[in-house]
Amino acid sequence: MLRRFAPYWELLRERWDGLSQNRRVAIVAVGLTAIFAVALLLLIQPPQQYAPLYSGLSADDAAAIIEQLRQQGVPYKLSNDGTAISVPVDQVAKLRLALAAQGLPKSGTLGFELFDRSSFGVTDFQQRVNYQRALEGELARTISQLDGVRSARVHLVIPEQSLFTEQQQPTTAAVVLQLKPGSRLTDEQVRGVVHLVSAAVPGLQPEHVTVVDESGNALWSGGGVAAAGGMSDHLKAQRAFETAMATQLQTIVARVVGNNNAAVQVSASFDWDQRQVDSEIYSPNGTQPQVRSQQERVQTTEGTTTGPIGVPGVDSNVDTYQEGAAGQNQQRSELRESTVNYELSRQVERVVQAPGKIQRLSVAVVLNSAAVDPAVAEQVRDLVAAAAGIVPERGDQVTVSVVPFTTATAEEAVAGPALMDRVLEAARIGAMVLIPLLALLFAWRVLAAQRTALPPAPRYEVATEVLPGPAAAAAGAAGPSAGLPGQAEAALKPPSGPPPTLRELQELAKKDPATVAHVVRAWLNEE
């Protein structure tokens, strides 16, 4: 095997010997730089990425799992007060299988495997409790398989059977869902969870099931979707109004300042109370009452009465007062009665105020300062106020700001670190491959340049023909001692056969430098 590469090694050695000292230093420097760069890239590894192995562990399970990781020499990190363990991301699946084979963690959700091992002396109460625990565990496992659900907990309340139906307490259930980041359950998914639980538990009705998320938002309560995806019907209607209004305003503003140069956000506050007002108004609008009917009765009485004459009082009763004679008195009386019936105007009104009245409206507009003149901001404000129907007396407001925009989107900002890690990893691998190749290419270029700089082989044959000219005369003038020795002449001007190699010429120059110099002078004189 080595013999096959011997000619190449010999050729490489000849090329190296033919290089100048500067080129040798350059090649060695490039090689050392390449080796140092590759070693540095190999030593500087990217930071190890960790992923959660288990979370929500008890203290006993966490201690047992850490002990196993230490025995296997696996690096780990603790978080959430020691209840969560993270390991290198490429070892998560393997470690979970290995720990599961050892029965870890032990405090996980248990299902009907509680009844795999029977024990003597178990009471009926313990059996019922174990059955309830197994049913809760199986339901939690099933719900955790749904899209968007990370984990689930199910709590059942199964009362004892009563002899009387009217005294029987209903079975109830509570489900706590931990959703995956960025996930949201739809109304159909929430109904599916409720009907799954109610169908799996005997005597459980959907109206007796409560579903909440990890934030405490009610997803199902009282037999209906209370807040699908954590959002009530009123809130969804408000979001739909805000989105539609923002879209309309965005279209209008974009026609003025151009696309991608404006952002519009709308915030609305609604009154969801429903009111009913009944009113009965008499003589509305200041109308005077009208006479409907009128009745008048007059009674007159006339007559004569007999009696004493005089002025009634104290003076007529004293002794010194002169009494008059009795006489006749004329009397007349009149009685008048009048009855008037008026027709009163009446207005009966019933007003039912539907919920969803706008209480307050706020609009925020952001303009790109790189493409929009600040003087346009006031015009945009008036345009938006008119299009949105802003009522200042109601507390509505419009804010327009002119600020520089960034070219990065929200998705790019989130994906930026991950993208940068991938770019750095690709650059590291590329450098490990390209640096040695560039070093080899540079060395090959230097060797090729040195090879082309060597004199061609036919030159030695031409030298044998032109030597008897001026070179021979010079040699004769110098005497026999100045001529070429036989060894040097045979080496520099072989009569036949292949030309001497560079190594042979170098050895000859070391042994007899004067002769070699004489031959070179002869070549220069001939040229």
Side-chain angles (χ1 to χ4, degrees), residues 242-260:
E242 293 173 348
T243 302
M245 178 66 71
T247 303
Q248 296 176 0
L249 297 178
Q250 181 77 33
T251 303
I252 296 175
V253 176
R255 293 182 179 179
V256 178
V257 301
N259 295 327
N260 301 324

Side-chain angles (χ1 to χ4, degrees), residues 327-344:
Q328 294 182 350
N329 298 325
Q330 297 291 330
Q331 293 183 349
R332 185 176 184 274
S333 63
E334 181 179 303
L335 177 63
R336 184 183 297 272
E337 294 181 356
S338 178
T339 303
V340 180
N341 296 322
Y342 293 93
E343 186 70 25
L344 298 179

Side-chain angles (χ1 to χ4, degrees), residues 381-420:
R381 183 184 184 281
D382 297 338
L383 179 64
V384 171
I390 298 298
V391 180
E393 294 77 9
R394 192 174 55 188
D396 300 351
Q397 62 179 357
V398 177
T399 303
V400 179
S401 301
V402 182
V403 296
F405 278 19
T406 178
T407 58
T409 61
E411 292 77 7
E412 293 174 351
V414 174
L419 180 61
M420 182 60 65

